[in-house]
C-alpha cells in the first residue's frame, strides 16, 4: 500500500502554487519599474546638464549682411523708392558665397523694385509681399536656398 501511494504521487506532477506565480510577476514588474525610474532619473538630471552646456556650441550663428541702399524709379515715373536691406543667412559658412554674388543679388533686387508701383508697396501687406518676392529671387540669384530672411532697414518713397 505504501508502494501504491508512492507510485500515485510520482505519476502526478507537482503543481506549483498559484500564489507563487503572482508573486513572481509582481517582483519582475517592480524590478522593471525600478530600472526604468533609475534610467529616467539619470537622463533627467545628468544628461540635461550636459545638453545645456553643449547647446551654445551647437547653435549655428546667423549672419546679417548689409547691402548698399537701392534708389530706383518706380513704374509711376514720377515716384522714387529708396530701400536699405539686410539679408540674414542661415549659416555663417555661406557668407563668402553671398559676397561673391552681390552683383547678381543687387541686379535682381533693382529689377524687382523698379517693376513695382507706389500703390503696390505702400501698405504693410504690400511690403510683406515684396519681402517674400525679394527672398525668393535672392535665393534664386545665389543658386542655393541660404538666405533665411530679409529686413528693410530703410524704406522711403517720394
Amino acid at each position: 500500500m505504501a508502494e501504491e501511494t508512492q507510485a500515485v504521487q510520482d505519476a502526478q506532477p507537482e503543481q506549483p502554487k498559484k500564489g507563487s506565480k503572482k508573486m513572481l510577476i509582481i517582483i519582475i514588474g517592480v524590478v522593471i519599474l525600478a530600472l526604468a525610474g533609475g534610467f529616467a532619473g539619470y537622463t533627467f538630471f545628468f544628461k540635461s546638464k550636459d545638453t545645456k552646456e553643449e547647446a551654445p556650441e551647437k547653435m549655428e550663428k546667423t549672419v546679417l549682411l548689409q547691402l548698399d541702399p537701392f534708389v530706383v524709379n518706380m513704374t509711376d515715373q514720377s515716384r522714387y523708392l529708396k530701400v536699405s536691406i539686410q539679408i540674414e543667412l542661415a549659416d555663417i559658412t555661406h557668407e563668402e558665397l553671398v559676397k561673391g554674388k552681390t552683383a547678381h543679388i543687387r541686379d535682381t533686387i533693382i529689377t524687382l523694385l523698379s517693376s513695382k508701383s507706389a500703390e503696390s508697396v505702400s501698405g504693410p501687406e504690400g511690403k510683406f509681399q515684396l519681402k517674400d518676392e525679394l527672398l525668393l529671387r535672392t535665393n534664386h540669384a545665389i543658386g542655393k536656398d541660404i538666405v533665411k530672411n530679409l529686413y528693410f532697414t530703410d524704406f522711403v518713397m517720394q
Side-chain angles (χ1 to χ4, degrees):
M1 176 114 106
E3 292 176 11
E4 288 178 17
T5 53
Q6 184 68 21
V8 172
Q9 287 178 356
D10 289 340
Q12 294 179 350
E14 290 185 25
Q15 295 181 357
K17 297 179 182 176
K18 291 183 181 179
S20 65
K21 283 185 182 180
K22 288 181 182 178
M23 185 60 79
L24 182 62
I25 291 172
I26 291 172
I27 291 173
I28 290 173
V30 168
V31 169
I32 290 173
L33 285 175
L35 289 174
F39 177 74
Y42 172 77
T43 304
F44 180 74
F45 288 112
F46 294 109
K47 293 289 184 177
S48 63
K49 290 179 184 177
D50 295 340
T51 307
K52 289 177 185 174
E53 292 173 2
E54 294 175 9
E57 296 173 7
K58 290 183 179 181
M59 286 180 52
E60 306 245 348
K61 294 182 180 179
T62 58
V63 178
L64 286 173
L65 293 177
Q66 177 73 41
L67 298 176
D68 292 334
F70 298 90
V71 179
V72 297
N73 290 332
M74 302 188 81
T75 57
D76 312 352
Q77 295 299 321
S78 61
R79 305 290 286 224
Y80 295 96
L81 178 64
K82 179 184 177 192
V83 178
S84 296
I85 297 174
Q86 284 192 351
I87 56 176
E88 180 181 10
L89 305 178
D91 191 4
I92 195 169
T93 59
H94 298 299
E95 185 175 6
E96 292 302 317
L97 173 66
V98 173
K99 285 182 179 178
K101 299 272 187 173
T102 303
H104 298 289
I105 294 169
R106 288 190 59 79
D107 178 58
T108 301
I109 292 173
I110 290 170
T111 303
L112 181 62
L113 290 176
S114 62
S115 71
K116 296 293 181 180
S117 67
E119 285 181 20
S120 67
V121 295
S122 62
E125 293 168 1
K127 288 181 180 77
F128 286 127
Q129 183 180 2
L130 180 62
K131 276 176 98 170
D132 289 341
E133 289 179 37
L134 286 170
L135 182 64
L136 179 70
R137 290 190 182 197
T138 302
N139 278 324
H140 184 69
I142 295 170
K144 294 182 179 179
D145 193 25
I146 58 176
V147 176
K148 187 176 175 182
N149 205 349
L150 285 161
Y151 301 103
F152 294 130
T153 56
D154 192 20
F155 197 95
V156 179
M157 212 176 343
Q158 184 177 1

